Amino acid sequence: MSKSKKSTTVATTSINGVPKLTTVTDKHGNQTTKYNMSEWEKLAYDYAEKEFAKNLKNINVFSEDTLKALNNQINAYKESGIKKIDEIYSPMLKNLQNDIAQRFGNLDNSIFLDKLSEIEDKRAESVSALSQDIVAKENELIGDELAKRYNYLNFLNGYQNQVLSTALGSSASSSKIAQNITTTNNSSNNLTEHLNNVILQTLTSALKL
């Protein structure tokens, strides 16, 4: 009598002749499914997983270089605004001085002082508006930086989920063929729950770093 094998390959799914999914069953009827990543798939997946965990803890933390770059942009915006204000009000002051000097011969009179006060009031309003614009610009730059970071993490997490979803979907399909059943919803739900737990543990671990 021949000895029974310890395990038997139940189903193999291949792409371009390369086995991607192998399902085996042992002598007790227990099934094990293995999703075979290529060298490049594993490299990309490991990179996404590592980068996600590494960047998650620093997502709202700005390095010295990042702060410097943001400050440079804010200062450039501020200087541009000041230049525009000067371009508007400096000619107005000069024209006022020339006009009053030609008409009255000096600048020591109430007409000049009144018009000067009007110009200075308008300049002060422009400076105040510029200050508010600078604050808004700062918030905009910070928001853009955070958006880039969140988009990057979403991309990394999405890539991991896509790979795992493909593996889970292939596993469910292979199990259906091997066991000749009509639905694998329960199995898929269990695997999805397991996946969610793995992701949650990854996030929790990363936050504690």
Side-chain angles (χ1 to χ4, degrees):
M1 181 181 296
S2 61
K3 296 182 179 180
S4 59
K5 295 182 180 180
K6 292 183 178 180
S7 62
T8 303
T9 299
V10 176
T12 300
T13 302
S14 299
I15 298 178
N16 294 331
V18 179
K20 298 299 296 180
L21 192 76
T22 303
T23 302
V24 299
T25 183
D26 61 19
K27 61 183 179 180
H28 302 293
N30 298 318
Q31 280 194 342
T32 302
T33 300
K34 178 181 179 182
Y35 180 75
N36 304 306
M37 287 186 180
S38 69
E39 176 184 355
W40 298 112
E41 283 178 312
K42 187 177 187 307
L43 184 64
Y45 181 84
D46 289 345
Y47 175 83
E49 186 175 43
K50 180 180 179 180
E51 282 292 299
F52 181 84
K54 183 176 71 174
N55 286 278
L56 183 62
K57 63 179 180 179
N58 296 320
I59 189 169
N60 293 323
V61 179
F62 290 170
S63 67
E64 183 177 344
D65 289 340
T66 300
L67 290 175
K68 183 178 179 180
L70 291 175
N71 285 331
N72 288 340
Q73 294 182 68
I74 293 171
N75 288 334
Y77 184 82
K78 177 181 177 180
E79 291 175 2
S80 175
I82 293 175
K83 182 179 179 181
K84 290 179 180 178
I85 291 175
D86 286 340
E87 288 175 349
I88 293 173
Y89 291 101
S90 291
M92 293 176 63
L93 288 172
K94 186 175 181 179
N95 291 335
L96 174 63
Q97 291 173 341
N98 293 335
D99 180 54
I100 296 299
Q102 290 177 1
R103 293 171 59 186
F104 302 99
N106 64 77
L107 303 178
D108 187 16
N109 61 75
S110 59
I111 296 177
F112 172 75
L113 294 177
D114 289 343
K115 291 187 177 182
L116 177 63
S117 178
E118 291 178 5
I119 293 176
E120 290 298 340
D121 286 344
K122 291 184 179 296
R123 185 203 291 266
E125 291 176 0
S126 297
V127 171
S128 177
L130 175 61
S131 298
Q132 296 178 22
D133 290 343
I134 291 173
V135 173
K137 185 65 174 180
E138 182 178 12
N139 292 334
E140 177 187 341
L141 292 174
I142 292 175
D144 289 344
E145 176 65 23
L146 289 175
K148 292 177 182 176
R149 296 183 178 194
Y150 279 103
N151 288 337
Y152 181 56
L153 288 184
N154 285 334
F155 167 76
L156 294 174
N157 190 43
Y159 177 79
Q160 294 178 73
N161 289 341
Q162 181 180 4
V163 173
L164 292 174
S165 177
T166 299
L168 294 177
S170 299
S171 175
S173 177
S174 177
S175 176
K176 180 177 180 180
I177 295 174
Q179 298 178 14
N180 193 26
I181 57 177
T182 59
T183 179
T184 57
N185 287 337
N186 292 333
S187 176
S188 296
N189 289 337
N190 291 335
L191 290 170
T192 301
E193 182 179 357
H194 174 68
L195 171 60
N196 290 334
N197 289 334
V198 170
I199 295 174
L200 179 59
Q201 291 173 5
T202 303
L203 293 175
T204 303
S205 299
L207 287 171
K208 291 180 179 178
L209 294 178

